[in-house]
Amino acid sequence: MARRPNISRQTHALLVAMLREPLRWHHGYELSQQTGLKSGTLYPILMRLSDQGLLESKWQEPEHPGRPPRHAYRLTSEGRAFVRSFAEPAAAPARRRRVAGAGA
Amino acid sequence: MIARRPLLRRMASALLAHAARMLPRNRASWAEAIEREGQYIENDAAALRWAMGCVSASYRERIMAMDLHQRMNRLSAIAPTVMSLLALADVLMVVITGWERHLKDEGTAAHIFQLLIVGQLPVIAMFLVTANWRQAAALVRPVAFQVAALVLALGSVAFFRL
């Protein structure tokens, strides 16, 4: 059984939020709104995840002219696998209950 | 005539620019990202709060990038304990030798004691700023030593009624 990684509650919240739409690019302020993390907490986490290869980023051209390109983030394939590796044990009992209920 | 941006927006922009400058050079792309993200926040007050958080993040990254920050943390973990023990030694010296016991007002020994105790505050602040809070359990021992030494030093003053 893989050892559960030691990550903070804030990092866990961010990873779970990004995993809900794993292929979509997210912006910093949007992630802050979704997770409740302030920028002072969010950006260090994003930097760490990027350093570890779990997060990728790119510059997106603005939808409306007159604004600068904006940084966007999403989980890499390694990042998605990482989140699923510790998210699935918690989800497994719920899946078993749903299966048991369906068979009744 | 070009309309001037609201004060909160100007403050937010200034803080974001400062946060971007404070980030280490290897975080240049993040510096730019932080500064630009603020321009997408419509509400000026929210943009200012965002900018303040970014300043906090950039200071933290700058400190964490320092090679000596771990050394500073270790030093600032030990120093308060040493200072408290020196303060205790100061008290014991007064008690044993009777130095300045006759003074009605505070003398040199008292001033030394006060400086050793109050002087710990910036050191403890340095310890807290440089601590690795992801391994909070490792902080228990140095904090326990600091508290124990401080209690001994302050308790000795009360015990000897100085």
Side-chain angles (χ1 to χ4, degrees):
Chain A
M1 185 180 190
R3 185 183 174 192
R4 185 172 177 146
N6 181 23
I7 61 171
S8 67
R9 179 175 51 84
Q10 292 88 347
T11 304
H12 184 271
L14 175 64
L15 290 171
V16 169
M18 296 184 81
L19 193 64
R20 285 193 197 112
E21 294 178 273
L23 299 179
R24 189 171 77 83
W25 292 92
H26 305 263
H27 299 119
Y29 190 61
E30 170 203 345
L31 289 170
S32 174
Q33 300 285 83
Q34 286 178 0
T35 60
L37 298 175
K38 296 190 173 70
S39 54
T41 304
L42 177 68
Y43 275 112
I45 294 174
L46 290 173
M47 292 179 202
R48 296 283 167 272
L49 293 175
S50 179
D51 291 345
Q52 293 163 10
L54 301 177
L55 184 90
E56 56 183 342
S57 61
K58 73 171 186 179
W59 290 103
Q60 281 186 334
E61 289 302 317
E63 293 176 2
H64 306 288
R67 283 189 168 173
R70 196 177 181 183
H71 224 208
Y73 316 98
R74 72 176 181 185
L75 295 173
T76 60
S77 55
E78 292 85 359
R80 293 192 290 272
F82 173 75
V83 181
R84 289 183 182 122
S85 70
F86 64 81
E88 280 181 1
R95 283 201 298 270
R96 284 199 289 271
R97 283 197 295 273
R98 282 198 297 271
V99 170
Chain B
M1 181 178 169
I2 298 173
R4 206 174 179 197
R5 291 182 301 165
L7 175 62
L8 291 181
R9 178 62 59 172
R10 282 185 278 128
M11 289 171 65
S13 296
L15 284 174
L16 286 170
H18 177 68
R21 282 194 304 271
M22 289 305 296
L23 277 173
R25 285 188 186 158
N26 64 334
R27 299 290 194 199
S29 63
W30 288 98
E32 203 171 353
I34 280 173
E35 198 166 4
R36 291 184 182 183
E37 188 69 14
Q39 298 182 40
Y40 282 87
I41 301 173
E42 298 290 338
N43 182 274
D44 293 342
L48 180 59
R49 288 193 296 272
W50 180 262
M52 290 166 68
C54 290
V55 170
S56 166
S58 66
Y59 271 80
R60 179 177 163 181
E61 287 299 308
R62 191 178 181 97
I63 291 171
M64 293 294 285
M66 294 178 184
D67 280 340
L68 55 81
H69 106 273
Q70 281 185 331
R71 278 176 274 166
M72 290 169 67
N73 181 255
R74 287 198 197 101
L75 181 65
S76 57
I78 297 168
T81 303
V82 172
M83 292 170 76
S84 291
L85 293 177
L86 286 174
L88 175 62
D90 180 50
V91 170
L92 295 177
M93 183 187 64
V94 167
V95 171
I96 293 171
T97 65
W99 183 43
E100 296 186 342
R101 286 300 291 265
H102 62 282
L103 294 179
K104 291 182 180 177
D105 202 353
E106 294 174 350
T108 304
H111 291 151
I112 290 172
F113 182 89
Q114 290 161 11
L115 284 171
L116 286 169
I117 298 300
V118 174
Q120 292 180 35
L121 291 177
V123 181
I124 291 171
M126 173 67 69
F127 171 67
L128 294 174
V129 166
T130 56
N132 181 2
W133 291 98
R134 288 194 210 100
Q135 296 177 341
L139 303 176
V140 171
R141 191 165 71 170
V143 170
F145 278 125
Q146 289 174 9
V147 170
L150 186 63
V151 167
L152 274 177
L154 296 175
S156 65
V157 173
F159 181 75
F160 292 112
R161 298 184 184 177
L162 297 175

